[in-house]
Amino acid sequence: MSGYDFLNGVRVLEVAQLGPSSLGGYLADMGAEVIKVEGADGDPVRRSGQYAVGAPDGLSFLHLRWNRGKRSLGLNLKHPEGAAIFRQLASQADVVIEGMRAGVLERLGLGYKALRELNPRLVFCSISGLGSSGPYHTQGSHGPSFDAFGALSSANPYALPPEQQAEAGAVPVGMHAMGLNGALGTLSALLRAQRTGQGAYIEVSGAESAAHWLPDAANSRLNAEVLHERPGFLNSQKRMAGWPRLSAYRTRDGRGIFFQGLFPKFWNRFCEVVERPDLPLIYQQVADSGAADEAVQAALAELFASRDYADWMALFVEHDIPAGPANSADTLVQDPHFLARDNVYEVEQPGAGRLRLSSSPVKTTGQSFAPAAAPEQWQDSAALLRECLGLDDETLARLRNSEAIYLQPAD
């Protein structure tokens, strides 16, 4: 069971591990039937990441997010009969996801060119670290390397030298952006396939997802000869002019609050409401723009520390002054706005019990987001092969014994 019903009737075959599993996860969230093809070792994302859920060797939150709502099929793609089963399933599918190093399925005789002969309307999405061409395409890659390639080292400390890592917080970009970009490309191609019957080969790389994340980064270097520094955008210290009016502060009770009084209308309203007409005057009295911003920042820090978080939020809402929480992970999961918008759902997860998990940023009227639990390895092998290909118990037993397929012990 998937999250919403938008993609009901769309069948996806996914051969993916780790971060690329997120592409199938987004499609499953929107209602697609995603069949996760797993080999003898399964997807290592099940037990990756900082936290183990339910037991010291328990499941990871990455698995619970990226693999929720999917069905797991144990298939040996290197075995002739396993490959034959994959071809049969691909002939019925709408989408095939190759979420490993690009070209793995092609080397097994299961690439896009081979599969489109069976299914001309098939959308085949290859999602990998570095893509299928270029001088690095044969190299292995991992999440932090995507950000290092894409000039996002400042956002991901794992891509920084060791002496700088302690000063930064981990915000990986490429590893998470690749699935979103893959979903955009796949769904766009799927719409055309449904309209015209013409399939497509889509390719997305984590490294390029990081490289394209910031509009100003690569583009400013590609067009250096026509660039002009926008007047007034930076102060004398080369920071954004007025940055204290778009910044986070600590309240009296230790909470973080993000003030957004950058535009004059809201800045003047704020100063009037808090009875501080002296604050705007700082910009007139201090000639150096950088020094003026520093003085305003110090004054605002002292001001915000004079009241509790709840008092500030009530004031901002009452007077229509843009501001909001600067949450930690601890305060986010208690934030009334976060909770009011169905950002948490409950699921019974085998091996971990009843869990409360973050849902999807996509909301729709008339539906609640309620995906099934992430599957156990090979959980659905027998049921899928019976449903999709009509295999009987004798055939399943023979294929298991030949190691063409993998079944759970109970099957």
Side-chain angles (χ1 to χ4, degrees), residues 31 71 80 221 304 320 383 401:
R71 305 176 77 185
R221 274 61 173 186
F304 280 111
D320 187 25
N401 292 336

Side-chain angles (χ1 to χ4, degrees), residues 298-384:
L300 288 177
E302 181 180 4
L303 177 60
F304 280 111
S306 69
R307 306 188 193 188
D308 289 345
Y309 169 81
D311 297 330
W312 281 118
M313 285 304 301
L315 180 146
F316 291 137
V317 171
E318 179 183 356
H319 295 282
D320 187 25
I321 298 170
N327 278 317
S328 65
D330 289 328
T331 60
L332 172 64
V333 297
Q334 303 174 46
D335 189 291
H337 188 83
F338 181 78
L339 295 175
R341 289 183 46 77
D342 295 326
N343 283 301
V344 177
Y345 72 101
E346 294 190 7
V347 67
E348 191 69 34
Q349 181 67 49
R354 193 75 177 172
L355 299 178
R356 299 174 69 230
L357 299 172
S358 58
S359 59
S360 169
V362 177
K363 315 296 182 189
T364 185
T365 56
Q367 295 188 56
S368 296
F369 185 80
E376 297 178 12
Q377 188 173 331
W378 316 330
Q379 171 183 303
D380 306 290
S381 293
L384 280 167

Side-chain angles (χ1 to χ4, degrees), residues 69-80:
K70 299 178 183 178
R71 305 176 77 185
S72 174
L73 169 63
L75 207 55
N76 182 357
L77 298 181
K78 296 180 180 179
H79 191 288

